[in-house]
Amino acid sequence: MTPPILDHVVGRRTLLTTGAASLALVLAGCSTTSTGTGASTAAGAATGTLSWASSYAPSSWDPVVNGSGAAFRITALAYASLTNTDEDGKAAPGLAESWTYNDAGTKVTFHLRPGLTFADGTALDSTAVKKYIERAQTQENSSLVGEGISVIESVETPSATDVRLNLSQPDFQLPLVLAQRVGQITNPSRSAAELNEKPDGAGPFTPVTIVAGSKATFVKNPDYWDADNIHIANVTVSFGADASSIVSGLQSGVYNFSDLTPSQVKAAKAANLDVVLQPGFNANNLSVNTTIAPFDKPEVLQALNYAIDREAIVKQIDFGYGTAATEPFPKGYIAYDPSSAARYAYDPTKARQLLADAGYADGLEVEFVVSADTPTNELIQAQLKKVGITAALKVDTNWATSFFAKKLALTTYGTTGRDSPIQTLQAHFGPAGALNSAGTEPGSAFDEAVATALATPLDSDDYEKNIQAATAAGLATTGLIFTDSLPNILVKTKAVSDLPRIPAYITWTGVTITGR
Amino acid sequence: MYSRLRRLPSFWIASVLLVLVLLLGILGSALAPHDPLAGGSALLQAPSATHLLGTDYLGRDVLSRLLAGSRVSILGAFEVAAIALVVGTIPGLLSVYLGRVFEWLTLRIMDTLIALPFLVFAVALTALLGNGLTQAMLSVGILLSPMFYRVSRAAALTVSSSQYVEAAVLSGGSTGWVLRRHIGPKVLAPIGIAFANAAGVGLVIVASLTFLGIGVQPPAPTWGGMLASDLGYLAYQPYAPAYPIVLIMLTVWAFNLLADVLRDTSGEAGRILLKKRALAKARRRGRRLQPQLAGRVE
């Protein structure tokens, strides 16, 4: 189970051959001028400032508390994670350069790189990792409890660089689980309250100033384990910029990188900016709480399923950049179960019939409480109206509190996905899953399928089959109606070189910024 | 008063505009050629014969949405002005008559209200009382009331110290009677000006709040809300924000014009202005007539 160790030279060669055009040019320039000096000298120099306009801000700079998948891309500036994922979505080394499982899959040992430290000199050793995992499991406001780490029964530290996790059941997903979302290791000498305000990790960048909800600035961290491949000197992240001002912000040079809504792609292309469709695991859904009337009637839930016109959402809201989704991941992903895909085709007549069968022939009035007035919510409201469901759209500023307390009958949610497909399934369908809208036990069929999938080694021939079975079992019990999946639409100026195409990640390894 | 007003052309411009806007507010939904909430597959279309102002991001008819959205916007503006009028004028007049404790107290309350930023306060109040336009307008109306308080108090102060009012009080006139008989008519003009002004300010505030998504239940259209969503699709319809902007601007302009006309014609200054205008008009007419007369004589 030793993953391939990423060699810098190999990394460069791969990038050159895969034709990451601008990066290749820069590196080619380096090698001609720096007459045969080692990779580290050419790569060690960092220049330029990344000015990132982000539509999402971390609610907390403590990765244990921050629950938003998109915001982990921001905290990843400051924190290095135990593992990473590569361009194929497979586990890759991070702070841990390798890992070993016992044959039964009940014990996994992560081997840390030697000599890792945090910015204040505190050692990033096995004890720091142990403290982090225990904090993620026990801290009262931890958002990671339901995120695939409940199988960890105890953490041992056989040596300063070895962390052994003893598991309650065979689970081969942990190298994926302990990547960016769950495995951003924090400095144990900081309290949870301190981390809330300012991040302290061993990531590619060190925070300089953090203004909550407004701005964060970073400088390159020379002690990052992969610092040789970080070529950016400074990072400024601005939060809360209006979506309609992003393109002009990039044009005028206020920003040089941002995420983008589909409606702005046309403007960005017209402005001669680089629009990047970064692969991801995003999936939007209509969350139906099947414990609240009238959704406790199976016919009503079925009617909702038939009432959603996914193609219209893809065309109208995603401007053609998305795809219709029926599962919590996009089509083509390893856990995507083709047999569950066509369970409910758009059929408004059938939806009306089902509502009539449930005793709502004259229509049905429900509350539709959402986090923001988005075109998607308005379109779904209009689609429900077509089958006779009058959904009163209400924007609640405290939406998140009610949603995670599972008090909302009908709402919408979008996930950015997880590195481990089973983690995604557990988050959506598991009893402790944050996105399980009803919060009910999904039944033993799902539990069994998940246990089987967890116990399947990732390189086993049965892996794909078992994981898709778990997807099917989860979908069979859920009140979640998946609607569409968008790639991560990013926009950058020409000064920023191509980003590694790692699904769902924004990684700065190897990226250069030319010009100012 | 009316006989003076109608002699100014700006009064007619303002009234025609306001009557039109008022009609929009009352009949808007009925005039809409399409269902303002019904979408279609033709998204972000340019103006055409079927959709005179084009369609929006869900394929809804923009003209119908503008028409249907006028009620909320105009009603909100009047709501703000009316609440401010009642909450401001009554204590403003009474502060002159109900003794020093009441006067001191209301002055301090009004000072406090002036210090509060009303958009922020309105946002906070809707978070507290629920996301409704009436809640938002209530808070904005209260915060706008110091304008009426000060205007009515200033007018009442000048009148109350005049000899005929003192004579009325000495002859045994009750406070209520004095207020109705002597003070009321004198403060009516400044309050009318303040009201027209407040309605204009109110419309801007309603538009701003709905722009921020406060006080409306989507997908109900409002002018401010349409402006906000149009900004997201500038690459497709760069001209779309102009529709709600023109309506908002014209309405606010009409309210301000009305306030100006009321101010220009009220009181002694108004009498002088109208007299000057009449004289100037007569002189112009005279000058135009003179060459003809001269011609005839020769």
Side-chain angles (χ1 to χ4, degrees):
Chain A
M1 279 311 290
T2 311
I5 304 293
L6 267 181
D7 182 289
H8 298 177
V9 183
V10 172
R12 277 179 66 182
R13 203 175 296 143
T14 329
L15 279 168
L16 281 163
T17 47
T18 49
S22 53
L23 176 60
L25 279 172
V26 169
L27 287 174
C30 285
S31 54
T32 47
T33 49
S34 63
T35 52
T37 44
S40 57
T41 1
T47 52
T49 299
L50 170 72
S51 300
W52 180 349
S54 171
S55 64
Y56 37 81
S59 56
S60 163
W61 285 95
D62 182 356
V64 169
V65 181
N66 164 41
S68 152
F72 280 111
R73 297 172 191 152
I74 307 282
T75 56
L77 290 166
Y79 294 101
S81 47
L82 201 58
T83 62
N84 286 313
T85 53
D86 64 13
E87 301 191 356
D88 302 319
K90 297 209 166 88
L95 292 171
E97 54 187 352
S98 64
W99 47 87
T100 38
Y101 263 99
N102 67 349
D103 290 339
T106 51
K107 282 181 201 296
V108 54
T109 309
F110 288 90
H111 311 292
L112 301 176
R113 293 166 197 277
L116 294 168
T117 55
F118 292 100
D120 65 350
T122 308
L124 202 175
D125 54 8
S126 55
T127 318
V129 175
K130 177 183 157 79
K131 280 184 181 163
Y132 171 79
I133 292 175
E134 286 171 353
R135 196 163 70 84
Q137 284 184 314
T138 54
Q139 190 166 303
E140 203 182 335
N141 59 354
S142 169
S143 63
L144 300 179
V145 174
E147 298 290 349
I149 53 171
S150 52
V151 289
I152 303 171
E153 274 190 330
S154 62
V155 185
E156 288 173 42
T157 53
S159 79
T161 54
D162 288 340
V163 192
R164 185 182 302 145
L165 311 180
N166 297 314
L167 315 176
S168 60
Q169 67 176 82
D171 183 347
F172 287 100
Q173 296 285 315
L174 281 163
L176 284 171
V177 168
L178 290 167
Q180 266 195 16
R181 191 184 181 99
V182 184
Q184 293 189 357
I185 307 299
T186 55
N187 187 338
S189 62
R190 299 266 179 247
S191 69
E194 283 174 313
L195 290 170
N196 225 12
E197 304 299 323
K198 194 171 181 181
D200 192 343
F205 301 96
T206 313
V208 182
T209 50
I210 304 283
V211 183
S214 158
K215 203 175 175 182
T217 56
F218 301 84
V219 292
K220 183 184 164 174
N221 174 13
D223 298 326
Y224 175 53
W225 68 266
D226 200 13
D228 282 352
N229 287 315
I230 298 296
H231 310 302
I232 300 169
N234 304 291
V235 179
T236 305
V237 191
S238 308
F239 305 112
D242 190 76
S244 54
S245 71
I246 294 295
V247 170
S248 47
L250 266 91
Q251 265 182 301
S252 60
V254 180
Y255 315 119
N256 53 22
F257 178 79
S258 179
D259 52 296
L260 203 65
T261 54
S263 62
Q264 298 296 323
V265 172
K266 189 181 169 187
K269 283 184 173 165
N272 202 24
L273 298 166
D274 284 345
V275 176
V276 183
L277 300 181
Q278 185 89 346
F281 310 129
N282 301 333
N284 296 320
N285 70 48
L286 176 65
S287 293
V288 188
N289 190 331
T290 49
T291 61
I292 299 177
F295 303 116
D296 51 351
K297 292 193 179 175
E299 294 92 346
V300 177
L301 180 62
Q302 282 182 321
L304 284 173
N305 269 295
Y306 284 117
I308 298 301
D309 182 1
R310 295 178 173 84
E311 292 306 325
I313 295 176
V314 170
K315 183 171 168 264
Q316 303 196 4
I317 310 297
D318 300 343
F319 286 79
Y321 293 101
T323 47
T326 48
E327 302 185 17
F329 357 71
K331 206 171 176 172
Y333 183 56
I334 187 161
Y336 182 85
D337 177 34
S339 64
S340 304
R343 285 195 307 158
Y344 297 103
Y346 176 53
D347 191 345
T349 327
K350 202 162 183 178
R352 275 185 179 279
Q353 181 57 46
L354 281 161
L355 282 177
D357 291 349
Y360 299 107
D362 302 330
L364 175 59
E365 281 183 25
V366 294
E367 270 204 346
F368 186 23
V369 180
V370 294
S371 58
D373 175 25
T374 62
T376 319
N377 292 332
E378 287 186 26
L379 183 59
I380 287 177
Q381 183 192 39
Q383 292 184 355
L384 295 181
K385 183 90 195 164
K386 263 186 198 161
V387 301
I389 301 173
T390 309
L393 197 51
K394 281 192 183 145
V395 180
D396 183 1
T397 38
N398 293 321
W399 170 89
T401 314
S402 324
F403 176 72
F404 290 111
K406 311 197 189 297
K407 283 182 185 154
L408 300 179
L410 189 68
T411 186
T412 48
Y413 190 84
T415 181
T416 54
R418 310 287 193 271
D419 298 312
S420 150
I422 301 181
Q423 195 184 341
T424 306
L425 292 176
Q426 285 173 323
H428 284 89
F429 309 125
L435 315 179
N436 179 347
S437 55
T440 49
E441 297 280 346
S444 54
F446 176 72
D447 288 341
E448 277 168 31
V450 162
T452 311
L454 283 175
T456 313
L458 308 191
D459 51 4
S460 157
D461 292 339
D462 293 331
Y463 180 56
E464 192 174 315
K465 185 190 78 188
N466 290 349
I467 219 160
Q468 290 178 3
T471 304
L475 283 169
T477 60
T478 186
L480 301 179
I481 300 168
F482 295 93
T483 53
D484 63 319
S485 171
L486 266 172
N488 294 302
I489 306 178
L490 308 173
V491 60
K492 62 183 186 65
T493 61
K494 305 276 183 211
V496 180
S497 73
D498 289 347
L499 271 66
R501 287 181 67 79
I502 298 177
Y505 276 44
I506 293 177
T507 312
W508 299 104
T509 309
V511 178
T512 57
I513 294 174
T514 48
R516 287 180 301 143
Chain B
M1 189 76 199
Y2 175 69
S3 59
R4 286 196 203 171
L5 280 172
R6 63 177 189 179
R7 280 150 65 184
L8 287 180
S10 38
F11 167 74
W12 290 108
I13 300 172
S15 334
V16 168
L17 271 175
L18 288 178
V19 167
L20 280 178
V21 164
L22 211 63
L23 283 176
L24 269 189
I26 298 165
L27 303 171
S29 306
L31 291 175
H34 298 269
D35 178 355
L37 304 183
S41 53
L43 309 182
L44 302 165
Q45 295 289 302
S48 65
T50 26
H51 300 289
L52 286 175
L53 298 183
T55 59
D56 75 351
Y57 58 96
L58 290 180
R60 301 174 293 205
D61 183 53
V62 172
L63 176 65
S64 305
R65 284 181 73 72
L66 268 184
L67 291 171
S70 44
R71 177 172 296 173
V72 173
S73 310
I74 293 157
L75 202 71
F78 277 112
E79 216 174 306
V80 167
I83 290 167
L85 174 79
V86 173
V87 178
T89 311
I90 295 171
L93 291 178
L94 292 179
S95 71
V96 181
Y97 285 95
L98 286 190
R100 298 185 66 176
V101 176
F102 182 82
E103 183 180 8
W104 186 88
L105 217 67
T106 51
L107 272 170
R108 295 297 83 77
I109 290 172
M110 292 298 159
D111 286 347
T112 314
L113 290 180
I114 289 170
L116 287 170
F118 45 75
L119 261 180
V120 180
F121 189 73
V123 173
L125 212 68
T126 49
L128 204 70
L129 299 177
N131 190 9
L133 200 63
T134 310
Q135 285 93 319
M137 294 301 98
L138 186 74
S139 58
V140 175
I142 290 172
L143 289 186
L144 222 55
S145 62
M147 180 162 95
F148 285 92
Y149 177 87
R150 300 206 151 202
V151 163
S152 57
R153 181 177 145 81
L157 271 176
T158 41
V159 187
S160 69
S161 55
S162 61
Q163 285 182 338
Y164 65 92
V165 173
E166 279 175 358
V169 174
L170 285 176
S171 331
S174 70
T175 305
W177 184 83
V178 170
L179 275 174
R180 258 176 285 133
R181 183 76 184 81
H182 291 302
I183 316 286
K186 289 283 174 193
V187 300
L188 215 57
I191 286 177
I193 299 166
F195 186 84
N197 220 335
V201 173
L203 189 85
V204 171
I205 292 169
V206 178
S208 312
L209 286 173
T210 51
F211 181 88
L212 298 171
I214 289 158
V216 273
Q217 190 172 327
T222 55
W223 292 352
M226 291 180 70
L227 179 57
S229 57
D230 285 342
L231 289 181
Y233 305 93
L234 282 178
Y236 297 85
Q237 288 180 318
Y239 50 84
Y243 305 139
I245 286 176
V246 165
L247 270 179
I248 294 169
M249 276 175 59
L250 275 182
T251 316
V252 175
W253 184 72
F255 275 127
N256 287 346
L257 195 64
L258 186 69
D260 273 359
V261 176
L262 285 171
R263 181 202 59 202
D264 288 349
T265 53
S266 62
E268 197 53 37
R271 211 169 294 157
I272 295 168
L273 173 92
L274 288 172
K275 208 161 267 171
K276 270 188 188 160
R277 282 177 59 89
L279 274 173
K281 210 172 174 182
R283 212 174 292 140
R284 271 203 306 278
R285 201 168 284 161
R287 211 177 288 146
R288 234 183 286 143
L289 285 174
Q290 257 162 8
Q292 291 176 343
L293 284 172
R296 227 176 264 172
V297 169
E298 272 196 356

